[in-house]
């Protein structure tokens, strides 16, 4: 899946639902392509943690692929790089998950 925009309170439900759906569609891992995340706050980080726990509970590993500079910086500064599997490998996501409510409304 491809994340686009701000990772904050406005995206909690959409991101959780996307990870849940992707976890049911695979047996190995969920790749979260994050190169287009423009900003991330504490709620966004907690959402990523919750999504990782959800995937793990379903027997699937969540991998953050190509995190953007803002996301990588937040993961590094909070020590979460040790928690998440982060990969620089290129992903070929089939659909984007718009993060901000404005993007979601515009995409309808």
């Amino acid at each position: 899946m491809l994340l686009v925009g701000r990772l904050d309170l406005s995206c909690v439900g959409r991101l959780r639902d996307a990870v849940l759906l992707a976890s049911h569609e695979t047996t190995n891992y969920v790749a979260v392509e994050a190169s287009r995340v423009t900003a991330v706050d504490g709620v966004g980080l907690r959402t990523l943690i919750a999504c990782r726990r959800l995937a793990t509970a379903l027997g699937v590993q969540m991998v953050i692929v190509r995190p953007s500079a803002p996301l990588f910086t937040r993961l590094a500064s909070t020590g979460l790089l040790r928690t998440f599997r982060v990969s620089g490998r290129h992903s070929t996501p089939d659909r984007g998950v718009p993060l901000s409510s404005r993007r979601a409304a515009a995409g309808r």
Side-chain angles (χ1 to χ4, degrees):
M1 85 184 60
L2 172 66
L3 303 183
V4 179
R6 297 181 57 85
L7 186 52
D8 58 17
L9 181 62
S10 67
C11 71
V12 171
R14 284 187 303 278
L15 182 54
R16 184 198 67 237
D17 291 347
V19 169
L20 181 62
L21 178 65
S23 294
H24 285 296
E25 293 177 346
T26 186
T27 58
N28 298 322
Y29 67 93
V30 172
V32 179
E33 213 289 0
S35 64
R36 294 177 58 190
V37 171
T38 57
V40 59
D41 65 9
V43 173
L45 289 177
R46 287 190 295 278
T47 300
L48 284 176
I49 292 167
C51 287
R52 180 185 164 277
R53 288 180 180 156
L54 174 63
T56 300
L58 295 170
V60 177
Q61 187 174 40
M62 187 175 106
V63 180
I64 298 175
V65 179
R66 298 182 336 148
S68 65
L71 178 56
F72 186 86
T73 299
R74 289 298 297 252
L75 291 173
S77 68
T78 57
L80 289 173
L81 280 177
R82 293 185 301 264
T83 300
F84 287 97
R85 181 170 172 208
V86 177
S87 173
R89 290 179 290 150
H90 179 65
S91 172
T92 54
D94 59 351
R95 61 180 169 230
V97 178
L99 296 177
S100 72
S101 53
R102 279 181 285 189
R103 279 196 179 271
R108 290 184 189 163

